[in-house]
Amino acid sequence: MAEELVLQQGHKADQYQSILPQIQAIIEDETDMIANLANICAALKQQFDWFWIGFYLVKDNELVLGPFQGPIACTRIAKGRGVCGTAWQQQQIIIVPDVDQFLGHITCSSASKSEIVLPIMSNGDCVGVLDIDSDELNQFDEVDAEYLQQLMLMIEKFI
Ligand code: SME
């Protein structure tokens, strides 16, 4: 595993194309789920410097906070609640350009303005979500969804 990340400037597609193979190299020899999810958060935080990035994992029919980078966050989210609980329930990627316009958004921090949430699937079940929050409006789009979905496929191999 490389000791340092090579960080890419420029368009976010270029940034994803640079960071995703590095993440693959970091996780491919490690089987521990928490270790891998923690390093994925750290690598994405270093590359994109988003306000908050982290995982929620399904435990006893709730989403429970997992590895993350950023300020402290809500620890438990019920199915169907907030953006994360909705992505879990619908098993779909959700992009929220303005969190104030999303009915039921869970405010962990008032600094969070836009977000994207992706379900992590295993054998047809959603076993967790990746939640990324920005402190700016309209920060996520189909480019993020496309590349982060590739990341979900990497995660689904070890989760
Ligand atoms: N924004 C999420 C809650 C989690 S925090 O933002 C870290 C939601 O509404 O699901």
Side-chain angles (χ1 to χ4, degrees):
M1 171 187 142
E3 286 179 16
E4 280 191 33
L5 292 176
V6 177
L7 300 180
Q8 178 80 34
Q9 310 276 317
H11 189 273
K12 63 183 168 186
D14 297 330
Q15 296 189 47
Y16 280 113
Q17 285 167 25
S18 167
I19 200 70
L20 289 184
Q22 295 185 74
I23 289 175
Q24 178 63 47
I26 291 166
I27 66 177
E28 66 191 357
D29 294 327
E30 178 53 65
T31 55
D32 187 87
M33 176 184 75
I34 296 295
N36 282 338
L37 296 181
N39 261 341
I40 289 168
C41 289
L44 291 174
K45 175 78 173 167
Q46 273 186 266
Q47 175 62 60
F48 292 99
D49 198 26
W50 287 309
F51 176 73
W52 196 91
I53 169 164
F55 292 94
Y56 282 90
L57 302 171
V58 175
K59 291 182 186 173
D60 297 330
N61 210 35
E62 272 186 313
L63 286 173
V64 181
L65 184 63
F68 72 96
Q69 295 259 322
I72 58 167
C74 326
T75 53
R76 290 174 188 269
I77 298 174
K79 199 171 203 171
R81 285 215 51 229
V83 187
C84 292
T86 304
W88 172 25
Q89 186 171 52
Q90 297 181 353
Q91 302 192 354
Q92 277 182 358
I93 298 172
I94 300 184
I95 295 171
V96 182
D98 178 354
V99 297
D100 288 340
Q101 304 302 318
F102 188 96
L103 194 64
H105 173 256
I106 301 165
T107 307
C108 292
S109 167
S110 58
S112 177
K113 302 287 184 226
S114 59
E115 70 178 274
I116 183 170
V117 178
L118 297 97
I120 303 167
M121 303 300 294
S122 177
N123 299 320
D125 289 329
C126 178
V127 295
V129 299
L130 171 64
D131 178 12
I132 304 176
D133 297 350
S134 172
D135 55 8
E136 293 176 48
L137 294 167
N138 297 307
Q139 282 304 291
F140 302 104
D141 56 24
E142 289 307 316
V143 174
D144 300 279
E146 181 191 328
Y147 285 102
L148 291 169
Q149 183 55 31
Q150 292 179 24
L151 177 66
M152 294 304 102
L153 299 178
M154 290 184 208
I155 291 171
E156 286 159 20
K157 291 198 176 118
F158 66 77
I159 207 149

